[in-house]
PDB file of all heavy atoms in Angstrom:
ATOM      1  N   GLY A  85     124.114 -57.247 152.394  1.00 98.00           N
ATOM      2  CA  GLY A  85     124.018 -58.000 153.636  1.00 98.00           C
ATOM      3  C   GLY A  85     124.556 -59.413 153.507  1.00 98.00           C
ATOM      4  O   GLY A  85     124.782 -59.923 152.407  1.00 98.00           O
ATOM      5  N   VAL A  87     124.548 -63.416 155.724  1.00 97.00           N
ATOM      6  CA  VAL A  87     124.342 -64.341 156.839  1.00 97.00           C
ATOM      7  C   VAL A  87     125.465 -65.361 156.795  1.00 97.00           C
ATOM      8  O   VAL A  87     125.869 -65.815 155.727  1.00 97.00           O
ATOM      9  CB  VAL A  87     122.963 -65.036 156.794  1.00 97.00           C
ATOM     10  CG1 VAL A  87     121.861 -64.058 157.139  1.00 97.00           C
ATOM     11  CG2 VAL A  87     122.701 -65.699 155.458  1.00 97.00           C
ATOM     12  N   PRO A 102     129.098 -57.911 156.159  1.00 98.00           N
ATOM     13  CA  PRO A 102     130.129 -57.454 155.238  1.00 98.00           C
ATOM     14  C   PRO A 102     131.365 -56.914 155.971  1.00 98.00           C
ATOM     15  O   PRO A 102     131.236 -56.240 156.984  1.00 98.00           O
ATOM     16  CB  PRO A 102     129.450 -56.333 154.455  1.00 98.00           C
ATOM     17  CG  PRO A 102     127.981 -56.569 154.613  1.00 98.00           C
ATOM     18  CD  PRO A 102     127.831 -57.165 155.976  1.00 98.00           C
ATOM     19  N   VAL A 145     141.411 -61.140 152.578  1.00 98.00           N
ATOM     20  CA  VAL A 145     142.505 -61.206 151.602  1.00 98.00           C
ATOM     21  C   VAL A 145     142.147 -60.402 150.361  1.00 98.00           C
ATOM     22  O   VAL A 145     142.995 -59.695 149.790  1.00 98.00           O
ATOM     23  CB  VAL A 145     142.803 -62.686 151.233  1.00 98.00           C
ATOM     24  CG1 VAL A 145     143.700 -62.766 150.004  1.00 98.00           C
ATOM     25  CG2 VAL A 145     143.455 -63.402 152.404  1.00 98.00           C
ATOM     26  N   THR A 179     130.875 -49.808 146.786  1.00 97.00           N
ATOM     27  CA  THR A 179     131.882 -48.763 146.754  1.00 97.00           C
ATOM     28  C   THR A 179     131.191 -47.423 146.496  1.00 97.00           C
ATOM     29  O   THR A 179     130.024 -47.385 146.094  1.00 97.00           O
ATOM     30  CB  THR A 179     132.914 -49.021 145.639  1.00 97.00           C
ATOM     31  OG1 THR A 179     132.346 -48.620 144.376  1.00 97.00           O
ATOM     32  CG2 THR A 179     133.311 -50.492 145.564  1.00 97.00           C
ATOM     33  N   LEU A 213     114.583 -63.178 146.347  1.00 98.00           N
ATOM     34  CA  LEU A 213     113.919 -62.219 145.459  1.00 98.00           C
ATOM     35  C   LEU A 213     112.412 -62.278 145.671  1.00 98.00           C
ATOM     36  O   LEU A 213     111.727 -61.251 145.706  1.00 98.00           O
ATOM     37  CB  LEU A 213     114.247 -62.519 143.996  1.00 98.00           C
ATOM     38  CG  LEU A 213     115.718 -62.505 143.578  1.00 98.00           C
ATOM     39  CD1 LEU A 213     115.838 -62.854 142.096  1.00 98.00           C
ATOM     40  CD2 LEU A 213     116.360 -61.149 143.849  1.00 98.00           C
ATOM     41  N   GLU A 219     111.493 -59.376 140.724  1.00 98.00           N
ATOM     42  CA  GLU A 219     111.414 -60.274 139.584  1.00 98.00           C
ATOM     43  C   GLU A 219     112.787 -60.864 139.292  1.00 98.00           C
ATOM     44  O   GLU A 219     113.780 -60.134 139.213  1.00 98.00           O
ATOM     45  CB  GLU A 219     110.911 -59.503 138.361  1.00 98.00           C
ATOM     46  CG  GLU A 219     110.897 -60.304 137.072  1.00 98.00           C
ATOM     47  CD  GLU A 219     110.656 -59.437 135.848  1.00 98.00           C
ATOM     48  OE1 GLU A 219     110.495 -58.206 136.010  1.00 98.00           O
ATOM     49  OE2 GLU A 219     110.648 -59.989 134.728  1.00 98.00           O
ATOM     50  N   ASN A 268     116.722 -74.684 137.157  1.00 96.00           N
ATOM     51  CA  ASN A 268     116.004 -75.871 137.623  1.00 96.00           C
ATOM     52  C   ASN A 268     115.278 -75.592 138.935  1.00 96.00           C
ATOM     53  O   ASN A 268     115.831 -74.928 139.827  1.00 96.00           O
ATOM     54  CB  ASN A 268     116.980 -77.034 137.850  1.00 96.00           C
ATOM     55  CG  ASN A 268     117.695 -77.455 136.594  1.00 96.00           C
ATOM     56  OD1 ASN A 268     117.066 -77.747 135.585  1.00 96.00           O
ATOM     57  ND2 ASN A 268     119.027 -77.481 136.637  1.00 96.00           N
ATOM     58  N   ILE A 283     114.326 -96.344 141.719  1.00 98.00           N
ATOM     59  CA  ILE A 283     114.636 -97.204 140.572  1.00 98.00           C
ATOM     60  C   ILE A 283     115.890 -98.022 140.848  1.00 98.00           C
ATOM     61  O   ILE A 283     115.945 -99.233 140.592  1.00 98.00           O
ATOM     62  CB  ILE A 283     114.816 -96.349 139.298  1.00 98.00           C
ATOM     63  CG1 ILE A 283     113.479 -95.724 138.882  1.00 98.00           C
ATOM     64  CG2 ILE A 283     115.397 -97.182 138.158  1.00 98.00           C
ATOM     65  CD1 ILE A 283     113.612 -94.647 137.822  1.00 98.00           C
ATOM     66  N   SER A 321     108.364 -80.483 165.838  1.00 75.00           N
ATOM     67  CA  SER A 321     107.779 -79.291 166.449  1.00 75.00           C
ATOM     68  C   SER A 321     108.523 -78.076 165.927  1.00 75.00           C
ATOM     69  O   SER A 321     109.742 -77.981 166.033  1.00 75.00           O
ATOM     70  CB  SER A 321     107.892 -79.338 167.976  1.00 75.00           C
ATOM     71  OG  SER A 321     107.534 -78.075 168.518  1.00 75.00           O
ATOM     72  N   SER A 362     121.601 -87.005 152.986  1.00 96.00           N
ATOM     73  CA  SER A 362     123.023 -87.367 152.987  1.00 96.00           C
ATOM     74  C   SER A 362     123.378 -88.047 154.301  1.00 96.00           C
ATOM     75  O   SER A 362     122.621 -87.997 155.271  1.00 96.00           O
ATOM     76  CB  SER A 362     123.901 -86.117 152.803  1.00 96.00           C
ATOM     77  OG  SER A 362     123.661 -85.182 153.846  1.00 96.00           O
ATOM     78  N   MET A 375     115.386 -94.391 166.762  1.00 95.00           N
ATOM     79  CA  MET A 375     114.074 -93.795 167.043  1.00 95.00           C
ATOM     80  C   MET A 375     112.954 -94.641 166.444  1.00 95.00           C
ATOM     81  O   MET A 375     111.909 -94.862 167.058  1.00 95.00           O
ATOM     82  CB  MET A 375     114.019 -92.370 166.474  1.00 95.00           C
ATOM     83  CG  MET A 375     112.745 -91.620 166.783  1.00 95.00           C
ATOM     84  SD  MET A 375     112.665 -90.015 165.930  1.00 95.00           S
ATOM     85  CE  MET A 375     113.982 -89.144 166.752  1.00 95.00           C
ATOM     86  N   GLU A 405     136.809 -83.167 158.565  1.00 88.00           N
ATOM     87  CA  GLU A 405     137.987 -83.712 157.896  1.00 88.00           C
ATOM     88  C   GLU A 405     137.672 -85.122 157.416  1.00 88.00           C
ATOM     89  O   GLU A 405     136.822 -85.821 157.980  1.00 88.00           O
ATOM     90  CB  GLU A 405     139.179 -83.702 158.840  1.00 88.00           C
ATOM     91  CG  GLU A 405     138.978 -84.493 160.103  1.00 88.00           C
ATOM     92  CD  GLU A 405     140.091 -84.275 161.110  1.00 88.00           C
ATOM     93  OE1 GLU A 405     140.284 -83.131 161.553  1.00 88.00           O
ATOM     94  OE2 GLU A 405     140.781 -85.272 161.426  1.00 88.00           O
ATOM     95  N   LYS A 438     121.248 -87.818 136.345  1.00 98.00           N
ATOM     96  CA  LYS A 438     120.001 -88.058 135.602  1.00 98.00           C
ATOM     97  C   LYS A 438     118.865 -87.197 136.142  1.00 98.00           C
ATOM     98  O   LYS A 438     118.033 -86.691 135.382  1.00 98.00           O
ATOM     99  CB  LYS A 438     119.623 -89.535 135.678  1.00 98.00           C
ATOM    100  CG  LYS A 438     120.464 -90.449 134.798  1.00 98.00           C
ATOM    101  CD  LYS A 438     120.062 -91.901 134.993  1.00 98.00           C
ATOM    102  CE  LYS A 438     120.978 -92.831 134.199  1.00 98.00           C
ATOM    103  NZ  LYS A 438     120.664 -94.263 134.462  1.00 98.00           N
ATOM    104  N   GLU A 442     120.778 -84.917 132.899  1.00 97.00           N
ATOM    105  CA  GLU A 442     121.946 -85.422 132.176  1.00 97.00           C
ATOM    106  C   GLU A 442     121.822 -86.940 132.005  1.00 97.00           C
ATOM    107  O   GLU A 442     121.239 -87.621 132.866  1.00 97.00           O
ATOM    108  CB  GLU A 442     123.236 -85.096 132.931  1.00 97.00           C
ATOM    109  CG  GLU A 442     123.452 -83.614 133.211  1.00 97.00           C
ATOM    110  CD  GLU A 442     123.712 -82.831 131.942  1.00 97.00           C
ATOM    111  OE1 GLU A 442     124.612 -83.220 131.167  1.00 97.00           O
ATOM    112  OE2 GLU A 442     123.022 -81.816 131.730  1.00 97.00           O
ATOM    113  N   THR A 471     149.695 -77.626 153.250  1.00 73.00           N
ATOM    114  CA  THR A 471     149.521 -78.190 154.588  1.00 73.00           C
ATOM    115  C   THR A 471     149.872 -79.666 154.592  1.00 73.00           C
ATOM    116  O   THR A 471     150.553 -80.158 155.499  1.00 73.00           O
ATOM    117  CB  THR A 471     148.069 -78.009 155.065  1.00 73.00           C
ATOM    118  OG1 THR A 471     147.758 -76.622 155.091  1.00 73.00           O
ATOM    119  CG2 THR A 471     147.867 -78.605 156.443  1.00 73.00           C
ATOM    120  N   ALA A 478     156.966 -83.284 158.313  1.00 44.00           N
ATOM    121  CA  ALA A 478     157.070 -83.450 159.762  1.00 44.00           C
ATOM    122  C   ALA A 478     157.102 -84.931 160.133  1.00 44.00           C
ATOM    123  O   ALA A 478     157.880 -85.344 160.996  1.00 44.00           O
ATOM    124  CB  ALA A 478     155.896 -82.751 160.444  1.00 44.00           C
TER     125      ALA A 478
END
Side-chain angles (χ1 to χ4, degrees):
V87 288
V145 167
T179 79
L213 301 179
E219 175 191 0
N268 298 306
I283 292 168
S321 170
S362 59
M375 184 186 293
E405 59 189 61
K438 285 177 185 176
E442 303 292 308
T471 300

